[in-house]
Amino acid sequence: MRGGIWLFVLLTGMGALMSTARAEQLTVAVASNFAPVMKAIVPSFEQQTGHQVKLIFASSGKIYAQIRHGAPYDMFFSADQKTPQALERDGETLSGSRLTYAIGRLALWSPKTGLALNDGQILADDQIKKLAIANPRLAPYGLAAQEVLQALGLWDKVAPRLVRGENIAQTYHFVSSSNADLGFVALSQVRQNGAGTCWIIPDSLYSPLRQDAVILKHAGQNPAAPALLAYLQQPDVRRTLKAFGYRLPETKGDS
């Protein structure tokens, strides 16, 4: 984002962070990949500010449809940039509120240990009967998985074996419950649980997963919304994002 917008968000948000006199309720829609992080950081945000946050998790595409049909969300943390940009064009956001809060990373994962996942050639093995990905039409991480398979020249071969999750959380569940042999999931999910075998997909194989947040018009003048955006810039929170496997944008952004 432009530096001026970041300055506005940070100044407004830090003012709200420093005072709990106007504690508010905030309903935040969050792309499923970012669920582990939000669950980790929201309690301390609530404790510091007095604001109360209700979290709703779903795929970015599903959240977009819900917002367009009047869902009363105050903020949206997407798994991509395109969906918040579309909401801007639709007139659903507060002007100048969109910013990149994290850069996601994709992983090929199995709960089993000792598998040779690096380079992805295991996907060509006929013993892999089911491969889980998020639905590319709804979930940016699913689209990234499709790009990886196409880059490896494996899309046509594995297409009949794909199991598509509605979102990345369901995709992870398919693999963790043994309903799929392997799956393309968010690195944050693997970092949260820590077990199994993981190949962190090289950045060169898929488009950057730049994840944008936006304040929606429903929030009005709710001070909790800019406060939450500002809270994400605190050093300890940024360290949490990195621990979950996300890359961080520059604080002034570049979108």
Side-chain angles (χ1 to χ4, degrees):
M1 295 296 292
R2 297 181 297 276
I5 293 173
W6 265 103
L7 183 61
F8 168 78
V9 168
L10 291 176
L11 290 178
T12 305
M14 291 308 296
L17 278 171
M18 290 185 290
S19 173
T20 60
R22 292 184 57 196
E24 300 283 355
Q25 300 286 329
L26 193 65
T27 301
V28 183
V30 182
S32 297
N33 77 91
F34 205 61
V37 178
M38 290 299 271
K39 290 176 181 178
I41 68 175
V42 160
S44 57
F45 169 76
E46 291 178 329
Q47 184 177 20
Q48 284 190 29
T49 65
H51 301 310
Q52 296 297 308
V53 180
K54 178 181 179 181
L55 297 172
I56 307 294
F57 302 115
S59 67
S60 296
K62 185 173 183 178
I63 293 171
Y64 171 81
Q66 291 172 341
I67 293 170
R68 293 293 287 139
H69 285 87
Y73 300 148
D74 298 305
M75 299 180 72
F76 174 32
F77 284 75
S78 183
D80 65 358
Q81 289 187 316
K82 292 181 180 179
T83 308
Q85 287 171 342
L87 289 171
E88 283 182 327
R89 294 191 295 270
D90 296 337
E92 298 283 357
T93 71
L94 292 186
S95 178
S97 67
R98 180 175 60 85
L99 57 84
T100 301
Y101 65 92
I103 301 170
R105 299 169 75 186
L106 187 68
L108 180 65
W109 175 73
S110 169
K112 298 178 181 179
T113 58
L115 297 180
L117 298 186
N118 286 357
D119 77 15
Q121 292 309 305
I122 191 174
L123 297 171
D125 193 325
D126 290 335
Q127 292 185 357
I128 304 300
K129 303 299 183 183
K130 293 183 180 180
L131 172 66
I133 69 170
N135 189 335
R137 293 181 297 174
L138 295 174
Y141 278 74
L143 182 58
Q146 179 176 326
E147 291 178 353
V148 171
L149 290 167
Q150 290 170 333
L152 294 174
L154 295 172
W155 176 255
D156 291 337
K157 182 175 180 60
V158 304
R161 293 182 269 156
L162 292 179
V163 179
R164 293 174 173 83
E166 183 178 277
N167 53 54
I168 203 68
Q170 187 178 57
T171 305
Y172 185 92
H173 178 71
F174 284 155
V175 187
S176 64
S177 62
S178 299
N179 286 305
D181 301 298
L182 296 170
F184 284 97
V185 300
L187 180 59
S188 58
Q189 296 169 304
V190 179
R191 290 283 174 86
Q192 180 188 27
N193 296 293
T197 307
C198 170
W199 176 38
I200 301 175
I201 308 299
D203 295 343
S204 59
L205 295 180
Y206 61 99
S207 302
L209 285 163
R210 296 186 65 85
Q211 303 189 192
D212 278 12
V214 70
I215 300 175
L216 300 166
K217 290 179 68 174
H218 182 269
Q221 299 300 311
N222 189 335
L228 182 55
L229 291 183
Y231 184 71
L232 289 175
Q233 301 310 307
Q234 292 193 0
D236 57 336
V237 178
R238 288 172 68 83
R239 285 192 292 270
T240 298
L241 266 66
K242 291 179 70 174
F244 274 96
Y246 290 94
R247 289 195 172 92
L248 300 179
E250 296 296 327
T251 55
K252 289 186 179 181
D254 58 5
S255 62

